[in-house]
Amino acid sequence: MTTLALANVRKSFGGVRALDDCTLSIQPAQITGLIGPNGAGKTTVVNLITGMLQVDGGRIDLGGQDITRAPAVARARAGIARTFQNIRLMRDESVIDNVVIGFHRHETTSLTANLLALPSALRERRVLRERAAELLASFNMLPYAGQNAGSLPYGYQRRVEIIRALATSPSVLLLDEPVAGMNDVEAQELGEIFHRIAERGTAILLIEHNMRFVMSTCAEVNVLHTGVIIASGPPSVVHNDPAVITAYLGE
């Protein structure tokens, strides 16, 4: 099982410090929360972890290996997967086709073999669709496999995006506001899915504005304010931290 660790990570944009000595650890088989007011730097953390942005200073380790300067593709291959604030599905393609895309890093046949539809490529496509179907079934989504992803209710589209991320077999899963726009029932159902994923040994970083959801879902919570981690610990401790209350509610 793999731990993701950030040590003294810094990032500035045009002279404005977005992250200042950010240090946090995302442990395997655990859901770790990252919360903070708008503009605190939460999505910047995700973009730095995935390699969409490069750090100005500090270090990022994955399983004890330094990936601070590794390209985004290498990080994905190493086991880091993410979802986005805005759902990014191929809306006009079927649910199962959206999930199959997630297996891309496990493909072994060449581009030429796929273009020519050689037997090896056809066999692999069949195997990947079977694996996608099994993954959908494990989250009670198989009945929707043939539907266009864009036709599903919002909450189910979120599920498809998460299942597609799981198809990469990640050791670390970054969830950027996954329950935004959901009601309490939908959020609770998704929370149960997150716990099932964590139980497999996956390290999960959950970024979310829904405080009630975070406090009931996460084993540990980190609070980011103006680029600085101001509190870390169990939800019950963080929830009552005076610095956290001030950051959200003001003096």
Side-chain angles (χ1 to χ4, degrees), residues 82-95:
R82 72 171 294 181
T83 64
F84 294 84
Q85 288 182 13
N86 299 316
I87 296 174
R88 299 188 182 183
L89 296 175
M90 297 188 301
R91 297 178 56 83
D92 295 329
E93 300 298 328
S94 69
V95 166

Side-chain angles (χ1 to χ4, degrees), residues 83 103 147 179 227 243:
T83 64
F103 289 104
Q147 290 187 216
V179 301

Side-chain angles (χ1 to χ4, degrees), residues 165-240:
L166 290 176
T168 68
S169 301
S171 55
V172 178
L173 180 59
L174 312 174
L175 302 170
D176 198 351
E177 298 191 27
V179 301
M182 292 187 183
N183 60 41
D184 288 345
V185 173
E186 292 172 325
Q188 182 180 352
E189 291 175 349
L190 210 52
E192 292 170 358
I193 289 175
F194 297 159
H195 281 292
R196 287 163 54 191
I197 296 170
E199 287 169 0
R200 300 175 179 180
T202 306
I204 297 179
L205 178 63
L206 172 67
I207 296 175
E208 184 54 59
H209 279 295
N210 186 329
M211 290 287 286
R212 180 166 56 183
F213 179 76
V214 169
M215 295 302 171
S216 64
T217 304
C218 298
E220 180 175 331
V221 178
N222 299 271
V223 184
L224 191 64
H225 183 53
T226 60
V228 178
I229 298 288
I230 60 171
S232 296
S236 58
V237 174
V238 170
H239 187 266
N240 295 307

Side-chain angles (χ1 to χ4, degrees), residues 45-231:
V45 170
V46 174
N47 289 335
L48 291 172
I49 291 172
T50 57
M52 294 180 69
L53 294 173
Q54 290 298 315
V55 304
D56 294 334
R59 177 181 170 114
I60 302 175
D61 283 0
L62 179 64
Q65 299 295 314
D66 185 355
I67 63 167
T68 309
R69 301 297 173 187
V73 172
R75 300 184 198 206
R77 288 174 178 165
I80 296 177
R82 72 171 294 181
T83 64
F84 294 84
Q85 288 182 13
N86 299 316
I87 296 174
R88 299 188 182 183
L89 296 175
M90 297 188 301
R91 297 178 56 83
D92 295 329
E93 300 298 328
S94 69
V95 166
I96 195 166
D97 284 337
N98 272 274
V99 175
V100 166
I101 289 173
F103 289 104
H104 67 89
R105 81 181 182 99
H106 303 295
E107 292 179 357
T108 58
T109 53
S110 67
L111 176 61
T112 301
N114 279 277
L115 289 175
L116 297 177
L118 297 181
S120 59
L122 294 177
R123 281 195 300 272
E124 185 170 61
R125 288 182 200 173
R126 184 171 61 253
V127 169
L128 293 182
R129 289 185 72 84
E130 290 172 353
R131 291 175 63 186
E134 291 172 359
L135 201 51
L136 286 167
S138 69
F139 292 101
N140 300 317
M141 289 292 291
L142 189 57
Y144 308 98
Q147 290 187 216
N148 284 357
S151 70
L152 296 180
Y154 178 84
Y156 280 12
Q157 289 187 40
R158 276 288 183 196
R159 288 194 189 191
V160 174
E161 186 180 40
I162 292 164
I163 292 169
R164 182 178 61 187
L166 290 176
T168 68
S169 301
S171 55
V172 178
L173 180 59
L174 312 174
L175 302 170
D176 198 351
E177 298 191 27
V179 301
M182 292 187 183
N183 60 41
D184 288 345
V185 173
E186 292 172 325
Q188 182 180 352
E189 291 175 349
L190 210 52
E192 292 170 358
I193 289 175
F194 297 159
H195 281 292
R196 287 163 54 191
I197 296 170
E199 287 169 0
R200 300 175 179 180
T202 306
I204 297 179
L205 178 63
L206 172 67
I207 296 175
E208 184 54 59
H209 279 295
N210 186 329
M211 290 287 286
R212 180 166 56 183
F213 179 76
V214 169
M215 295 302 171
S216 64
T217 304
C218 298
E220 180 175 331
V221 178
N222 299 271
V223 184
L224 191 64
H225 183 53
T226 60
V228 178
I229 298 288
I230 60 171

